[in-house]
Amino acid sequence: MPDRLWSRPDVVAALEDRDIASLLVLLRRHAGYSQNDLAGVTGIAQGRISEYMRRRRLPTLDTIERIADGVDMPPQCRRLLGLAPEPRGLCRDRAGSGCA
């Protein structure tokens, strides 16, 4: 994922608004991800990615975490989205039982 993507005003606005549909569209448009690519890096079925992008379904917090983890979202962007600054696996690895 290009670092400059995360500083784009439209991406920052989507993160601040916690607008996952717009964020996924922007990832496709500016980073070249296909729905299949997003499915591959997140472990979420392509059809479900499509539903999120078309606002047919709202993602759960767990799903939002999976998306952030899959696209290697930087800590400051995770915070804008309302997530912990590090992926859950890293928090557990460092602290032993989760983020402190």
Side-chain angles (χ1 to χ4, degrees):
M1 187 67 58
D3 287 337
R4 68 184 182 281
L5 169 83
W6 300 112
S7 61
R8 292 182 53 87
D10 51 356
V11 172
V12 172
L15 292 167
E16 288 175 337
D17 293 343
R18 297 181 177 151
D19 185 347
I20 300 306
S22 292
L23 179 62
L24 291 171
V25 168
L26 293 167
L27 289 171
R28 288 199 63 206
R29 182 177 301 145
H30 300 301
Y33 274 94
S34 69
Q35 288 183 7
N36 284 327
D37 294 335
L38 289 167
V41 298
T42 62
I44 300 166
Q46 177 274 325
R48 186 61 51 95
I49 295 287
S50 176
E51 290 176 333
Y52 297 142
M53 292 177 78
R54 292 181 294 132
R55 301 180 194 278
R56 302 266 186 212
R57 181 181 292 263
L58 294 174
T60 64
L61 180 58
D62 182 61
T63 299
I64 295 169
E65 285 271 1
R66 289 172 65 184
I67 292 167
D69 294 350
V71 299
D72 294 323
M73 189 178 288
Q76 68 275 15
C77 295
R78 293 176 67 91
R79 282 188 199 99
L80 285 177
L81 197 53
L83 302 175
E86 295 188 36
R88 288 175 290 179
L90 287 179
C91 294
R92 281 190 208 98
D93 291 345
R94 291 186 183 162
S97 62
C99 292

